[in-house]
Amino acid sequence: MSVRSVILFGLLFLLAACGNRNPLEVTVSRCPAIAVVGDAGTLTRFEGEGRNIEDVAFTASIMDVRLTCEEAEDVTSDVSFSVAATRGDAFRGGSVTLPYFVVVLKDNSQIITKKIYDVTLNFDSNGRASSREVLEQHIPTIEQARRYNYEVLVGFQLTAQDAIFNMER
């Protein structure tokens, strides 16, 4: 058996393993893309004027972002993500409420909606807190979903000082 025959047999075997599906078929999804905005995915708050490790009240992050989507006459997607925080030495209290945003963009530049939500994190005895957030996003018609590219972005609603700290770190 030649090398060419072995390669051909291997390719035929792989195609058969795929069932009757065409391996070259392109599936176009009308579901939005999802991402965390780079510098808005982490939030560090300080107590007092210092910016040293002992001045950190807490650090929170948005992570494990997922999107499930259903395409029918319209496009409905569930956006879910975790918000987790670690308490710093300067934190006084048991919980913190943080604002975060969800933005829907059309064609990567035009903001369709922006909503701000709050999440309350209750720290445990180890200084950790987390919450799983689930939101529904809706594109009214499948024609709109076909015409434009949609993207869902999430991040913390930062103050100017928070944003500067994130860019400098």
Side-chain angles (χ1 to χ4, degrees), residues 1-168:
M1 197 185 255
S2 70
V3 172
R4 180 185 260 174
S5 297
V6 171
I7 291 173
L8 182 60
F9 178 74
L11 288 173
L12 289 173
F13 179 75
L14 287 174
L15 287 174
C18 293
N20 291 330
R21 295 184 54 180
N22 180 350
L24 302 176
E25 180 181 353
V26 175
T27 303
V28 176
S29 174
R30 298 303 172 196
C31 296
I34 182 140
V36 176
V37 177
D39 286 333
T42 301
L43 172 63
T44 300
R45 288 277 165 86
F46 297 91
E47 288 295 325
E49 297 299 316
R51 294 291 179 259
N52 297 318
I53 191 77
E54 60 272 1
D55 301 317
V56 172
F58 63 86
T59 298
S61 297
I62 295 174
M63 62 190 93
D64 194 25
V65 178
R66 297 179 188 197
L67 183 129
T68 57
C69 184
E70 185 177 313
E71 298 177 64
E73 294 298 316
D74 57 4
V75 177
T76 302
S77 53
D78 288 329
V79 175
S80 63
F81 56 92
S82 294
V83 179
T86 303
R87 183 175 58 212
D89 292 338
F91 187 76
R92 304 292 176 249
S95 66
V96 64
T97 299
L98 304 175
Y100 66 88
F101 64 84
V102 178
V103 170
V104 177
L105 288 180
K106 179 171 77 173
D107 288 340
N108 299 320
S109 62
Q110 186 178 5
I111 295 176
I112 302 300
T113 64
K114 178 182 179 183
K115 294 183 181 176
I116 298 175
Y117 301 90
D118 287 328
V119 59
T120 300
L121 301 173
N122 297 306
F123 291 96
D124 63 17
S125 60
N126 295 320
R128 293 187 175 85
S130 66
S131 176
R132 187 81 183 156
E133 301 295 298
V134 180
L135 306 164
E136 184 177 275
Q137 296 297 318
H138 183 75
I139 301 171
T141 66
I142 194 69
E143 286 78 27
Q144 283 181 312
R146 286 184 183 130
R147 192 174 311 133
Y148 304 107
N149 292 317
Y150 288 92
E151 186 175 9
V152 178
L153 302 175
V154 296
F156 288 112
Q157 187 68 31
L158 302 175
T159 66
Q161 293 152 333
D162 296 333
I164 291 168
F165 177 78
N166 282 353
M167 287 187 278
E168 291 177 344

